[in-house]
Amino acid sequence: MPEISPLQKARAAYQPRLPKILAENGPFAQAKLGEPTHSVADQEAIRKLFPDTYGLPAIDFVPGAPVATSPIRAGVILSGGQAPGGHNVIAGLYDGLKKLNGENQLFGFLGGPSGLIEDKSLLLTDEIIDSYRNTGGFDMICSGRTKLETEEQFQKVMETCKRHGITAIVIIGGDDSNTNACTLAQYLVGQKAGIQVIGCPKTIDGDLKNKWIEVSFGFDTATKVYSELIGNIMRDANSARKYWHFIKLMGRSASHIALECALQTHPQACIVSEEVAAKKYSLKQIVDQLTGIVVERARRSLNFGVVLIPEGLIEFIPEIQTLIAELNDLLAKNQAAFDALTDLEAKVAFVEERLTPAHQEAFRPLPAAIKAQLVGDRDPHGNVQVSKIETEKMLAEMIEANIRALNATEPKKLKFSSQCHFFGYEGRCAAPSNFDANYCYSLGYTASALIAAGKTGYMASCRNISQPIDQWVAGGIPLTMMMNMEHRHGKDVPVIKKALVDLEGKPFQTLAANREAWAKGVEFRYPGPIQYFGPAEVCDQPTQTLALEHL
Ligand code: FBP
């Protein structure tokens, strides 16, 4: 048994709180059905694809009396990237199921969706659950990125469930995994399999949210960890006064993480990919804007600052987006000749001379290391590994080149020295904040109540979560309600709409209203480390994003 720290011990004893309706009624709360629902767009197409699960009513839980139920077996998987609080979803689900009937059993399928397909599971016990309460990570049953999407896979999932007598599966995942949960639910109803499917909204990226799902779990903790680290770096920058720190923050696509961290810490600049796309900023424009901030400060001897960069930026810059598409095509068409080259420089030259003139123009000014990453690092399908491109270094190097050019004529030489960082894994498995510990436990518990109510094709939801927990509203949202049709990999497919940063929304507007002052001054804000014990104003604050969106 590994030694546990005093904080681990204290956290293990923490009892997460539940919304009032579940605290008072347990999983016996009754499902009150609302009006029939519609998908967010493309109603006819979605209705056709989900004939049995389309239009289900949204659910709010209301008081209900305990009833005796026969024992059930349920399964749970964690899908996709780790997010703080996953273990508490499982603990909430487990406690809810056991409260319904002490004989109920919960199987954790191992390594994500592939565990369900390949039938690899672990029967969860009190001892296992207790040792993971309020801990970060997904290591209780591990996660994976296998996509559950083909009919053959669905068939295997059904066989796995039948083999164990499982009649309900809970899928804890992001937009893709819940899209697949929606398709699986329809498949199982169509097969009259008698197996329910319930989803739970997970991702640190914060891009699985809508009118009914106010935030995905993990966003709160992860952004608090990153904000603490950024605050620490700010203090260092302000103490040494010699470095510009370029900090890339996880968030594969949307910029919610970078934006939230900016609202928490007040950096000199925070790039928001959605704004870059909307205003069609070129890479040169972005670099020039940042250079402007650096130069303006350097002339006042403020040779330091912090720039936040969202991980997905590169794909939102119009000319880089099309450059990457052309590179993928070009390399697919010339694979043999390209692979025959052993030298990276030769590979770069090979690509450069075959690009169309517009893309040559976009490619040429890139730093050598970035060119090498663009042509060198390919995924198994031969595509550019966009998430591995070191955008933070790219921007720092390009700004440095600008400053060098300016210094040729500048009477008093401008100083610029940079440090680069990438924060992602540092926060994905942190011990969940009180918010995430409570939210995740409540989501899992809500899932058990949805199972008890015999529902399928729903996502567990807790709303009004910017308020104290006794005002949270527990319920279920039909997965079909969040779907629309999107063109992906050459065909129209039903998917849960990803939530990008809304440029009209209050979080972005708050950044926009303050960024000029933050760029010029030293208005750093230091959130400090997550506090688990102490006064509510220190321990229980929701993210600024959630507060601004819902106040
Ligand atoms: P999910 O969307 O699955 O929650 O994962 C989010 C994320 O943390 C992204 O922010 C990041 O780009 C990605 O996972 C990295 O995943 P991996 O470690 O599997 O490469």
Side-chain angles (χ1 to χ4, degrees):
M1 189 70 172
E3 185 185 322
I4 68 167
S5 69
L7 185 65
Q8 271 179 290
K9 207 167 164 195
R11 274 319 264 176
Y14 176 75
Q15 178 53 50
R17 298 184 56 206
L18 285 169
K20 205 162 168 225
I21 190 73
L22 296 178
E24 288 175 0
N25 299 270
F28 301 103
Q30 287 297 301
K32 182 176 150 233
L33 308 185
E35 295 296 310
T37 58
H38 294 288
S39 56
V40 282
D42 310 307
Q43 284 90 3
E44 275 325 299
I46 304 287
R47 182 196 298 276
K48 252 196 189 151
L49 290 164
F50 300 93
D52 300 300
T53 52
Y54 186 88
L56 294 170
I59 289 173
D60 277 349
F61 283 106
V62 294
V67 280
T69 54
S70 33
I72 55 168
R73 289 176 167 191
V76 62
I77 60 164
L78 292 161
S79 180
Q82 284 71 255
H87 290 153
N88 268 26
V89 180
I90 299 177
L93 173 64
Y94 181 88
D95 289 352
L97 288 171
K98 290 288 181 189
K99 180 112 187 183
L100 281 167
N101 183 331
E103 306 275 293
N104 285 348
Q105 289 184 320
L106 180 61
F107 291 80
F109 283 89
L110 306 177
S114 62
L116 258 178
I117 299 167
E118 294 160 16
D119 193 0
K120 292 189 180 139
S121 68
L122 172 71
L123 178 64
L124 299 174
T125 59
D126 287 354
E127 196 187 347
I128 296 173
I129 295 288
D130 287 348
S131 62
Y132 285 98
R133 288 183 192 274
N134 309 307
T135 58
F138 280 5
D139 41 327
M140 180 201 297
I141 54 172
C142 298
S143 184
R145 288 200 181 274
T146 303
K147 288 194 189 309
L148 245 187
E149 52 191 359
T150 67
E151 195 154 332
E152 196 193 339
Q153 291 173 325
F154 293 161
Q155 168 82 28
K156 288 202 167 137
V157 169
M158 187 167 75
E159 286 164 12
T160 300
C161 290
K162 295 223 151 141
R163 209 170 292 128
H164 294 283
I166 287 172
T167 55
I169 308 164
V170 175
I171 294 183
I172 304 172
D175 54 337
D176 275 352
S177 308
N178 277 288
T179 292
N180 297 337
C182 187
T183 315
L184 178 64
Q186 169 60 48
Y187 174 85
L188 293 170
V189 177
Q191 297 292 313
K192 301 197 177 9
I195 302 167
Q196 301 163 251
V197 181
I198 304 294
C200 281
K202 171 237 74 168
T203 176
I204 60 161
D205 292 4
D207 54 9
L208 170 49
K209 66 174 168 183
N210 47 49
K211 219 166 118 194
W212 317 279
I213 302 297
E214 295 174 9
V215 71
S216 52
F217 77 77
F219 178 73
D220 186 273
T221 310
T223 54
K224 282 178 174 147
V225 172
Y226 305 142
S227 299
E228 180 210 348
L229 299 177
I230 294 165
N232 294 349
I233 284 178
M234 286 170 163
R235 279 269 193 225
D236 197 289
N238 196 18
S239 307
R241 303 198 157 211
K242 61 176 181 180
Y243 289 131
W244 275 84
H245 292 267
F246 290 76
I247 306 175
K248 183 169 76 172
L249 291 153
M250 251 191 190
R252 186 199 308 268
S253 182
S255 310
H256 298 292
I257 292 181
L259 176 55
E260 169 64 19
C261 293
L263 296 174
Q264 290 288 351
T265 60
H266 305 177
Q268 273 62 41
C270 171
I271 303 173
V272 173
S273 306
E274 291 82 345
E275 184 183 28
V276 168
K279 296 189 174 157
K280 297 192 172 42
Y281 285 150
S282 65
L283 180 57
K284 181 170 178 339
Q285 280 173 305
I286 298 170
V287 173
D288 286 351
Q289 279 176 22
L290 293 174
T291 307
I293 296 173
V294 171
V295 169
E296 197 279 330
R297 289 176 71 85
R299 292 201 174 121
R300 291 184 290 126
S301 300
L302 294 174
N303 296 308
F304 66 97
V306 171
V307 178
L308 303 187
I309 303 148
E311 184 186 7
L313 172 66
I314 196 112
E315 284 190 287
F316 284 75
I317 303 172
E319 83 272 16
I320 305 284
Q321 198 180 44
T322 55
L323 165 68
I324 289 170
E326 190 177 319
L327 273 175
N328 286 341
D329 253 22
L330 194 154
L331 290 169
K333 281 189 197 130
N334 298 281
Q335 183 144 11
F338 180 80
D339 288 347
L341 301 168
T342 45
D343 171 32
L344 200 53
E345 251 176 63
K347 287 187 177 197
V348 170
F350 178 93
V351 162
E352 197 164 320
E353 66 202 27
R354 283 167 179 77
L355 285 169
T356 52
H359 289 136
Q360 280 180 344
E361 214 175 292
F363 190 72
R364 277 201 184 113
L366 297 175
I370 302 299
K371 284 185 186 168
Q373 282 164 19
L374 277 170
V375 302
D377 249 347
R378 337 276 315 157
D379 72 10
H381 308 288
N383 294 327
V384 172
Q385 301 239 61
V386 179
S387 64
K388 295 209 172 145
I389 295 171
E390 295 171 314
T391 12
E392 67 285 21
K393 291 193 181 149
M394 175 180 83
L395 293 174
E397 278 191 39
M398 293 177 87
I399 293 168
E400 193 174 345
N402 272 355
I403 302 279
R404 234 180 287 123
L406 283 171
N407 274 342
T409 53
E410 194 77 13
K412 185 171 169 247
K413 299 287 170 246
L414 301 164
K415 286 189 187 157
F416 176 74
S417 187
S418 64
Q419 296 285 351
C420 294
H421 317 260
F422 171 40
F423 295 156
Y425 299 101
E426 293 80 350
R428 278 206 323 191
C429 282
S433 60
N434 286 347
F435 175 89
D436 269 330
N438 294 335
Y439 184 42
C440 291
Y441 188 76
S442 300
L443 286 172
Y445 211 91
T446 303
S448 76
L450 288 166
I451 293 172
K455 302 299 169 193
T456 190
Y458 279 83
M459 182 179 280
S461 95
C462 291
R463 304 194 309 280
N464 208 29
I465 52 178
S466 57
Q467 300 302 317
I469 194 160
D470 52 0
Q471 293 170 42
W472 291 12
V473 178
I477 304 299
L479 287 162
T480 51
M481 201 173 170
M482 301 171 212
M483 303 285 259
N484 70 163
M485 298 298 289
E486 285 179 22
H487 199 69
R488 290 200 186 164
H489 308 296
K491 50 182 183 176
D492 289 332
V493 287
V495 291
I496 291 181
K497 207 169 157 46
K498 204 182 256 308
L500 298 180
V501 168
D502 174 9
L503 300 182
E504 300 304 319
K506 280 194 197 154
F508 178 77
Q509 288 298 322
T510 306
L511 171 76
N514 289 289
R515 59 186 163 186
E516 213 181 304
W518 296 348
K520 289 192 175 139
V522 183
E523 301 204 12
F524 297 142
R525 182 174 183 271
Y526 306 108
I530 294 178
Q531 301 294 311
Y532 298 97
F533 302 100
E537 68 272 21
V538 177
C539 300
D540 299 338
Q541 289 305 309
T543 60
Q544 301 242 354
T545 305
L546 187 67
L548 287 164
E549 282 174 344
H550 293 277
L551 287 182

